[in-house]
């Protein structure tokens, strides 16, 4: 641990976690930089509880090192443990215990962490270290966990749309007094355009590595060589000013078409009109309200249309806040939910990308190279396939948590268990996001270069999504029938001739039997 200069008497020891890199953090706001000590530590346990993508570890370690310097320049004393420092105990409890032994603080202060397992861990420190531990609310969110719990109380259905409207009222974003700008809360129906290869598509902002990042890249390649994903090329922002520049770049060149092409997918176009900022936002380099104020201002200045501004703001103050609310409301039971009783192991191609299905190959390959895939790739390609095939939601959850630079359980788990796998019995999503190849064909250009035929339902050449889709409808007909948005699919399946039903079952079984279970990155 790089020693901080020893003050007269340390009052608070403030532990700042790798995804708490915000100078307005509630724990820091409660402290006095002349009397208190910030502790930050790179630890193997946090880097390996799932085998995070190399790029995610590089982002966090480099951003942590830069943030420690930022705090020092603001007058804070910071004790920072690097991964390879002598005596690094390898886990947060051990590092806090070492810091307590060295600096003898009167109290430990921390902003609540983003994962339930870590909160339990932190709650044990008071007894273990014989010190008061003060856990502060994370005020970087627009809605507190208590506020969400009050909103949810007594409601039969926890629909995002109603929560989102309250967040619009609370923040005043895109509001004309009490009414939504444009007279409508949601312009999602305008946001279904398919992209064409000849569109001008802006690249996200890339950043040069400085000496700190280069050092971290070498460290991660050396120490986490057996983790999923490519370390090179690493072009993410690792400081607040660069993350803000990345977001401003998006507002200037991508936002105007964010709405139109939100659901589109194109071969070789990994980013389309998405903002590529979730990895910065979730580790604290960006502030969600500040981002949305910029989007609101861009709309009011006439630079972007309303469907784009509204669609973007909905993702950030709607979905992002809502999934966090669900996570803290329902944990720890939520993590074990398996409402459809899906048990198939994760196929190996989720780690290797080796499959003849173009859509899945594209999504997994870019995930490996970029630690990023956009929402529709996650929901309607990797997620949809897992849902149709009956893959264990817990195995899939571990995958999503490991492979994306923006993944923390508070946001990843509800998206996987609830939105994507319908494993929570419909608490989060009003219907399963299940779709056949026709949807992927409509929203992408993947099928044109695929080894499978998207128009065929059964047989060796048929798009596997098709037989799997109808087999999913058959297997879950009882659940699906009671859902007004899905019941029609059960009626359609029921009308298929018996021979077609047998062909569907045989095609699905045959395809699933040929899948190699995950072995490379268990
Ligand atoms: P944009 O498309 O530009 O959207 C803007 C911002 O809105 C994002 O940066 C993000 O902060 C927020 N947002 C959009 N959709 C969601 C959503 N459904 N939930 C929460 N925030 C949202 N997002 C994560 O941040 N971390 C995860 O671990 C994660 N896991 C996911 C797993 C599955 C199975 C699915 C279906 C979605 C997951 N998402 C996750 C949501 C979404 O896919 C990503 O937020 C988005 O792709 C990030 O890319 P972007 O910054 O370009 O987002
Ligand atoms: C994700 C992560 C990684 C890879 N490494 C560290 C680390 O070394 N030190 C640290 O304080 N935090 C790290 N994190 C982030 C934590 O895992 C995160 O704070 C919890 O998952 C809660 O969101
Ligand atoms: Fe994916 Fe099927 Fe299209 Fe191939 S044909 S890209 S498997 S949807």
């Amino acid at each position: 641990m790089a020693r901080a200069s020893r003050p007269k008497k340390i009052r608070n020891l403030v532990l700042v976690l790798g995804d708490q890199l915000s100078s307005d953090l509630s724990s820091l706001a409660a402290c006095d930089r002349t009397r208190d000590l910030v502790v930050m530590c790179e630890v193997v346990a946090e880097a390996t509880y799932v085998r995070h993508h190399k790029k995610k570890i590089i982002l966090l370690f480099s951003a942590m090192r830069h943030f420690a310097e930022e705090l020092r320049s603001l007058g804070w004393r910071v004790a920072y443990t690097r991964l390879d420092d002598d005596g690094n105990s390898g886990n947060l409890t051990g590092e806090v215990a070492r810091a307590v032994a060295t600096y003898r603080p009167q109290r430990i202060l921390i902003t609540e962490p983003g994962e339930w397992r870590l909160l339990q861990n932190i709650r044990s420190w008071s007894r273990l270290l014989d010190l008061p531990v003060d856990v502060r609310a994370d005020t970087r969110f627009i809605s507190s966990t208590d506020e969400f719990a009050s909103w949810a109380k007594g409601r039969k259905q926890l629909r995002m749309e109603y929560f989102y409207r309250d967040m619009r009222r609370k923040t005043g974003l895109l509001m004309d007094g009490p009414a939504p700008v444009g007279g409508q809360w949601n312009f999602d129906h305008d946001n279904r355009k398919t992209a064409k290869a000849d569109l001008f598509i802006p690249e996200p902002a890339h950043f040069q590595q400085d000496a700190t990042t280069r050092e971290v890249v070498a460290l991660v390649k050396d120490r986490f060589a057996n983790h999923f994903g490519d370390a090179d090329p690493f072009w993410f922002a690792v400081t607040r000013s660069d993350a803000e520049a990345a977001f401003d770049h998006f507002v200037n060149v991508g936002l105007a078409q964010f709405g139109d092409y939100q659901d589109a997918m194109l071969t070789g176009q990994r980013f389309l009109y998405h903002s590529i900022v979730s990895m910065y936002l979730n580790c604290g380099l960006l502030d969600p309200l500040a981002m949305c104020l910029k989007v609101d201002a861009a709309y009011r200045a006439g630079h972007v249309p309303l469907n784009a501004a509204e669609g973007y703001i909905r993702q950030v103050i709607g979905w992002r806040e809502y999934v966090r609310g669900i996570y803290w409301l329902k944990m720890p039971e939520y993590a074990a939910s398996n409402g459809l009783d899906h048990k198939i192991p994760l196929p190996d191609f989720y780690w290797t990308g080796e499959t003849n299905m173009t859509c899945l190959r594209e999504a997994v390959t870019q995930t490996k190279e970029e630690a990023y895939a956009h929402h529709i790739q996650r929901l309607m390609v990797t997620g949809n396939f897992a849902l149709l095939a009956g893959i264990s939601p817990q195995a899939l959850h571990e995958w999503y948590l490991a492979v994306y630079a923006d993944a923390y359980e508070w946001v990843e788990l509800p998206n996987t268990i609830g939105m994507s796998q319908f494993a929570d019995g419909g608490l989060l999503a009003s219907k399963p996001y299940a779709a056949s190849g026709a949807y992927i064909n409509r929203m992408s250009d993947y099928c044109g270069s695929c080894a499978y035929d998207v128009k065929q339902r059964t047989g060796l050449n048929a798009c596997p999504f098709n037989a799997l889709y109808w087999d999913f409808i058959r297997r879950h007909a009882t659940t699906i029938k009671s859902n007004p948005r899905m019941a029609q699919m059960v009626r359609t399946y029921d009308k298929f001739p018996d021979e077609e039903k047998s062909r569907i079952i045989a095609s699905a079984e045959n395809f699933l039997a040929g899948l190699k279970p995950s072995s490379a990155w268990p």
Side-chain angles (χ1 to χ4, degrees):
M1 181 176 296
R3 278 200 171 231
S5 59
R6 211 169 204 302
K8 291 152 249 153
K9 181 84 186 149
I10 290 194
R11 206 180 43 161
N12 293 306
L13 184 158
V14 192
L15 178 66
V16 172
L17 299 167
D19 54 352
Q20 298 185 336
L21 309 180
S22 321
S23 43
D24 60 351
L25 203 62
S26 58
S27 55
L28 294 172
C31 285
D32 172 353
R33 63 192 77 180
T34 63
R35 292 188 57 194
D36 297 325
L37 175 75
V38 173
V39 169
M40 296 179 71
C41 29
E42 298 168 9
V43 289
V44 165
E46 291 306 307
T48 56
Y49 68 95
V50 291
R51 288 199 211 171
H52 300 289
H53 196 296
K54 294 184 196 77
K55 280 197 166 79
K56 178 179 181 184
I57 306 178
I58 296 170
L59 167 67
L60 282 200
F61 285 6
S62 181
M64 284 170 73
R65 291 180 187 196
H66 283 94
F67 186 63
E69 284 313 311
E70 184 186 330
L71 289 179
R72 285 184 182 123
S73 72
L74 292 171
W76 289 94
R77 278 167 298 129
V78 182
Y80 191 99
T81 314
R82 290 181 174 217
L83 193 81
D84 278 346
D85 281 352
D86 286 343
N88 186 335
S89 62
N91 60 72
L92 292 172
T93 304
E95 285 314 280
V96 170
R98 282 204 316 138
V100 165
T102 308
Y103 297 101
R104 308 218 163 273
Q106 293 166 6
R107 182 170 75 148
I108 296 171
L109 204 87
I110 184 165
T111 292
E112 62 194 347
E115 299 194 348
W116 190 86
R117 64 165 180 101
L118 197 49
L119 184 60
Q120 306 317 302
N121 197 359
I122 289 166
R123 291 206 191 289
S124 73
W125 290 350
S126 176
R127 192 175 33 79
L128 204 71
L129 303 170
D130 198 20
L131 269 183
V133 177
D134 186 352
V135 181
R136 298 282 166 125
D138 193 340
T139 50
R140 296 173 301 169
F141 290 90
I142 290 151
S143 162
S144 71
T145 50
D146 285 348
E147 190 181 346
F148 187 86
S150 315
W151 175 82
K153 203 165 176 199
R155 282 176 196 257
K156 271 206 202 118
Q157 289 194 315
L158 302 182
R159 290 291 161 249
M160 196 288 293
E161 180 63 28
Y162 297 108
F163 171 76
Y164 163 59
R165 292 179 190 180
D166 283 354
M167 294 300 102
R168 289 271 295 278
R169 291 186 189 99
K170 181 175 178 179
T171 57
L173 288 162
L174 294 183
M175 295 295 289
D176 268 343
V181 166
Q184 237 173 270
W185 291 102
N186 184 319
F187 291 83
D188 214 16
H189 60 82
D190 295 345
N191 294 351
R192 301 277 150 76
K193 281 197 190 151
T194 55
K196 296 271 179 300
D198 59 355
L199 270 178
F200 168 73
I201 297 171
E203 274 289 303
H206 285 43
F207 298 89
Q208 294 285 334
Q209 295 176 18
D210 65 3
T212 301
T213 301
R214 283 196 293 276
E215 206 181 331
V216 170
V217 170
L219 173 78
V220 169
K221 282 181 179 173
D222 178 43
R223 294 290 303 274
F224 304 105
N226 63 349
H227 282 219
F228 175 74
D230 300 349
D232 296 322
F234 183 86
W235 49 262
F236 291 169
V238 293
T239 61
R240 178 175 335 287
S241 56
D242 280 353
E244 282 170 359
F247 184 66
D248 292 346
H249 171 74
F250 163 73
V251 172
N252 290 333
V253 302
L255 175 61
Q257 285 174 293
F258 171 83
D260 288 353
Y261 299 111
Q262 207 180 326
D263 289 4
M265 297 175 278
L266 266 184
T267 309
Q269 290 291 351
R270 298 173 165 190
F271 306 109
L272 291 160
Y273 295 96
H274 292 272
S275 57
I276 332 295
V277 294
S278 46
M279 66 282 208
Y280 309 140
L281 189 50
N282 295 349
C283 72
L285 293 183
L286 290 175
D287 175 70
L289 189 55
M291 283 164 53
C292 290
L293 286 168
K294 284 184 180 175
V295 172
D296 181 294
Y299 164 70
R300 291 184 197 265
H303 298 153
V304 301
L306 184 53
N307 71 312
E310 187 283 316
Y312 196 84
I313 285 174
R314 175 158 27 89
Q315 307 311 312
V316 178
I317 68 167
W319 280 111
R320 184 170 184 269
E321 297 279 333
Y322 168 81
V323 296
R324 175 174 182 261
I326 295 276
Y327 178 78
W328 287 110
L329 190 68
K330 294 294 172 186
M331 280 299 280
E333 301 77 21
Y334 200 74
S337 314
N338 192 356
L340 297 177
D341 198 25
H342 282 174
K343 295 189 174 133
I344 289 188
L346 193 72
D348 204 40
F349 69 72
Y350 273 76
W351 299 111
T352 62
E354 287 164 17
T355 164
N356 289 331
M357 292 179 279
T358 299
C359 53
L360 280 154
R361 191 174 60 245
E362 284 282 315
V364 174
T365 305
Q366 86 164 65
T367 298
K368 226 165 138 223
E369 293 176 4
E370 312 283 1
Y372 176 84
H374 66 69
H375 187 63
I376 294 302
Q377 292 175 304
R378 299 188 205 196
L379 186 64
M380 300 312 294
V381 178
T382 45
N384 181 27
F385 181 86
L387 175 68
L388 300 182
I391 289 165
S392 150
Q394 281 67 39
L396 189 71
H397 149 57
E398 281 207 15
W399 184 80
Y400 280 113
L401 191 57
V403 303
Y404 291 114
D406 59 22
Y408 301 89
E409 213 180 68
W410 65 266
V411 53
E412 175 278 329
L413 190 77
N415 269 300
T416 303
I417 295 284
M419 187 185 298
S420 163
Q421 299 303 295
F422 207 69
D424 64 0
L427 178 78
L428 196 147
S430 54
K431 74 177 192 57
Y433 280 96
S436 68
Y439 172 87
I440 296 175
N441 193 29
R442 191 164 62 250
M443 297 313 300
S444 79
D445 65 353
Y446 294 148
C447 303
S449 63
C450 186
Y452 295 102
D453 182 352
V454 71
K455 303 276 187 228
Q456 286 186 45
R457 194 184 290 146
T458 58
L460 287 179
N461 287 333
C463 165
F465 280 83
N466 293 341
L468 289 175
Y469 175 79
W470 289 110
D471 198 47
F472 172 85
I473 301 289
R474 174 190 69 80
R475 284 186 283 125
H476 297 297
T478 321
T479 314
I480 290 171
K481 237 191 261 178
S482 60
N483 186 316
R485 298 180 65 194
M486 293 288 284
Q488 176 57 39
M489 302 322 285
V490 179
R491 288 193 290 275
T492 304
Y493 176 81
D494 284 343
K495 285 186 199 137
F496 287 157
D498 285 347
E499 311 81 71
E500 182 65 356
K501 288 180 180 163
S502 304
R503 280 195 291 271
I504 287 170
I505 294 172
S507 279
E509 280 179 356
N510 188 37
F511 177 79
L512 293 177
L515 287 179
K516 185 173 156 211
S518 157
S519 62
W521 310 89

